[in-house]
Amino acid sequence: MLGPVETRSVSPVFVGRTEELNSLNEALARAAAGEPQALLLGGEAGVGKTRLVEEFATAACRQGAVVALGGCVEIGADGLPFAPFSTALRALRRALPDELAAAAAGQEEELARLLPEIGEAHPARGTGRHDEESLARLFELTARLLERVAAERTVVVALEDLHWADASTRHLLAYLFRTLRTGRLVVLATYRADDIHRRHPLRPLLAELDRLRTVRRIELGRFNRDEVSRQIAGILATEPNPAQVDEIFERSDGNAFFVEELAVCATEGCGPGLTDSLRDLLLVRVEGLPESTQRVARVAAEGGSTVEYRLLAAVTRLAEDDLIEALRVAVNANILIPAPDGDGYRFRHSLVREAVADDLLPGERSRLNRRYAEALEADPTLAPADERVMRLASYWYHAHDAAKALPAVLDASVTARRRHAYSEQLRLLERAMELWDTAPEDVRAALRPVDYTEVYPPCGCDPATAPLRYLDLMAEAAVAGRLGGERERALKITKRALHLLEDDGDPLRAAWFWVQRSHLVQGLTRGDGWAELATAEDLVRGLPPSEVHAEVLANVAHWSMVHIPGPDAISAAERAVEYARMVGAREIEMNARLTHAGLIVESGGVEAGLAEMFEILRQTLANGSSAVASRVYVNLPSALEAIGRSREAVPVLEEGIGYAQRFGLSDKEAWIWGNLAESLYSLGHWDRAAEAATKAELAGQSAKPRGFHAATRSRVALSRGELSEAARQLSAARGYFGTHDRAPQHEIPLIGLAIGVAAGEGRLLDARAELEHVLDSGFPPGTQRYAWPLLLTAATMEADSLGLPVADQGRTKILDRIREAARPLATNAPVWLAHERWLRAELLRAESADTPDHWWEALTAIEPLDRPYDLARVRHRLAQVLLSAPGGAEQPERDRATELLRLAHAAADHLGARPLADAVSLLAQRARLTLTAASAPDRGDPVRSLGLTGRERDVLRLVALGRTNRQIAEELFISPKTASVHVSNILAKLGVSGRGEAAAVAHRLGLFPAEALHAPITD
């Protein structure tokens, strides 16, 4: 459009930034080797971030990388949803059309929300309902798209001006930085550090990203005097006068952009009277331009980050020759520059645009926005199709014309929803609510729910003819806030809506808002959501069937399944299925059926419940209902694991992981990985289980899946004797689950782990306190899968502590309470029956009343279950009782015990279960049994096998009796200081952190028979 123009203020010489450029080039090299890189480049406005990115991009292209640039777009004060990603993907499509098409294959419909050119975006899959997975799905697919494009060549995605980013862009960037796993990819984002005030929305994101070890943050500082001198020399093409350098350095304070402006002002004679205020500094060169050029600059400043040439012509209303001449002057003065795609103009630096826009008079700003809106309405082709609706909404809003702004803002909210830009949808809906009362009545009366809303079911009205209501906007805003993570704002909206509904006489709509509040309260960890659901249930009770009624019942059933499974939950699920079928709400029906099937399994109808789950999976895969299908992939394997069929669960889980990844269902993927970790643990694949738990944490962002995964890692660590790690992971799990929503499926396993950790550390009374807490509460019906392992852990602790003085008091009561708690638990699945037999044997061992028959029964029940760790533990106990029973010294019994211990030791060694392996070895040593030639233990004293001296043996015996250092010193005729040294040495050799833990190890390994604990010391 314009011929070559001369720009005078940009130095052709790239000054300084050696360290920063080296960091970027190092990241490029690592990415080229297959390690994705994430970088943040911050610095104050004008410090040179864009110039550094340009130099890096040039160097990357020379090395064969593909560089895709995207910038956050500002229209007035509004950012366009996903604008930098859309621009960057568009650049990638131009550079690598075939590769991008192949990477997006099969997901064009979803990815079209970011890049409309590759397909047509539809509201949602299946039923068109939006859910919590919608945004996560888009994010996951975007991450995988970039990984695939960067699989064979290095790709740099540079996103500029993150301080203007909309919330959806920020969330997507955070997701990429957290989850990029493979590919030769560099993602670089820049932002203005001086704009990030305490309330700036980018601030918490930066804090979050700082905690990620995979993200590198580079802060760009100002130039020193020498660098300023070199910059001025480059601009002026001659060595500057030192006095001039001193003056410019002092006034610019090393800011590269200010150096440029001051250098040009000095050569153009702007005069010594130039004010030091920032705005005047930025405006002084604009004010020196011809009036027509200043007018174009003012129009361009209000149009947004980039303004298309034809749109600029329509708004300025200048003759084409006059406009081109004005633009030439502005470009020649380096105020404006052509946009990268060559179809418009932007300010060379955003600071100048902001200064020019701020200098507009209020009436002038409204008039310019009206002109932009009118021009765009008259000719929609003046702006890119994917920006048109959003920009029109912004122009009319800032033109302060409610009649035009309200429908335009509502159109934009629909566009944001279709792109899953829920935070932007919420912002636009809040604007619509702000405009509602000031818009003329006839404008409001012409609006229809069918055009702008979809979350609230029609329920008796025709959305094509009924007028749009303010409450419809509130419903859309509440859901947009929940899906976009703006739960606090959404909660306030539901509160206002329910207040408005108090006198409205619309129980269905009120019930619907109470369901939303339930979701929000749970998401904000402020409660378990039941009070809200109960209110909703009361409101719909007795009303004719409707979609809202079915949704309330389905939510009640699901809540009950998680918190209080039992007959009432089954009844609620059955009614939800019935109502959903009556009103044709297919997705609600399938979800309710799945809940019902899970409850049937837990209540004992194992085969019927599983068959229904498999059928629901088949149907949802066939009709493309990814939200329900992904939930089946979580619940079905969990049900299989619950009844001990872990090996059957694994292939379903692996299939589910692929499905979740294909549809970008990251939180569901996290739950599936977590369930896989649980099943792998049961099957004895502990390293793979820990791996799966780690992948689960990488995949999902919600707190509860993370708590589940931390619990799995805690269980593995506890079984391996890594008590400090087990305690750390347990604490993390409790932190993730919070204190306001204690679902039995999470709470009971965590208490079981807490008992195990406390027992391992020798804190018997703490472990008992945890046990009594859960026994006081009782186990809800259907929670036997969690209750049996917890009771077994407690019984094992009591049996292991037999002989400890601290354990004697209250033992009988505790054992009775364990028996009482176990009595009503279901045993109609083989794994539950095995736990019942095992628990009975452990309780008898705690009373020194167990016999080989008890342990043979437990072993017979556990052997078919394919649970090697459990099997090894029972074999160890059976061998122990065989050797101690009457006739245990006879050869047949010794042979049986030897084989049992050999098998148990082999399993423990393979699993890395150190406490079990040590216990088996010591039992074999004491019985003088040889396990294997290679691992035959020392035939000597088992205490010496731990590296303890004779004196340390005596000290450990007294520590196990609970003696203090002074008491030990008195009994052994040594000084307290010497006793303290011995205790420290013992703790180090046992690898424990305290006296209680050392005592627990001594008792667990049977180092001192009960009678030896009280034997006198002999020299």
Side-chain angles (χ1 to χ4, degrees), residues 353-433:
R353 183 179 73 80
E354 291 170 24
V356 173
D358 287 345
D359 202 43
L360 294 171
L361 298 173
E364 187 179 15
R365 174 172 284 121
S366 299
R367 180 171 57 85
L368 286 177
N369 275 283
R370 174 177 290 278
R371 282 194 184 178
Y372 271 112
E374 289 171 344
L376 201 51
E377 275 194 345
D379 184 358
T381 65
L382 294 177
D386 59 332
E387 298 180 12
R388 190 178 301 140
V389 175
M390 290 290 181
R391 287 172 66 172
L392 191 61
S394 179
Y395 292 146
W396 277 126
Y397 178 79
H398 290 102
H400 305 300
D401 186 333
K404 288 284 192 178
L406 179 59
V409 166
L410 287 172
D411 284 336
S413 75
V414 173
T415 298
R417 181 183 68 220
R418 287 176 179 165
R419 300 186 76 178
H420 298 328
Y422 298 117
S423 295
E424 283 59 55
Q425 181 195 5
L426 173 60
R427 175 178 56 79
L428 289 161
L429 287 165
E430 287 175 332
R431 280 191 176 175
M433 290 188 280

Side-chain angles (χ1 to χ4, degrees), residues 522-523 525 527-528 562-563 667 671 701-710 733 736-738 740-743 745-746:
Q522 292 178 74
T525 64
D528 60 13
V562 173
H563 295 84
D667 257 15
W671 280 113
Q701 309 306 319
S702 297
K704 286 184 179 178
R706 288 174 177 240
F708 182 36
H709 313 145
Y736 285 128
F737 286 123
H740 296 282
D741 187 4
R742 296 185 179 277
Q745 64 177 350
H746 306 310

Side-chain angles (χ1 to χ4, degrees), residues 475-488:
E476 292 291 315
V479 173
R482 176 167 61 85
L483 300 184
E486 306 281 354
R487 295 188 181 93
E488 198 66 61

Side-chain angles (χ1 to χ4, degrees), residues 433 436-437 469-475 492-506 509-510 513:
M433 290 188 280
W436 187 262
D437 289 334
R469 299 177 59 188
Y470 187 79
L471 282 164
D472 292 323
L473 302 186
M474 299 186 86
K492 290 179 181 177
I493 291 169
T494 61
K495 182 177 180 180
R496 285 170 47 209
L498 289 167
H499 178 71
L500 291 175
L501 283 163
E502 286 177 359
D503 302 319
D504 194 84
D506 190 345
R509 195 179 286 266
F513 274 107

Side-chain angles (χ1 to χ4, degrees), residues 952-972:
E952 287 168 350
R953 170 201 176 104
D954 294 339
V955 171
L956 178 58
R957 185 180 69 82
L958 295 173
V959 167
L961 287 170
R963 303 288 197 269
T964 65
N965 286 349
R966 180 169 297 280
Q967 290 170 329
I968 292 171
E970 290 173 354
E971 192 158 339
L972 298 181

Side-chain angles (χ1 to χ4, degrees), residues 26 31 121 171 181 388 402 410 485 571 619 680 686 707 796 875 927:
E26 287 170 8
H171 296 161
R181 306 159 194 166
R388 190 178 301 140
L410 287 172
S571 175
Q619 292 182 20
L680 290 172
W686 289 0
T796 302
R875 281 171 170 162

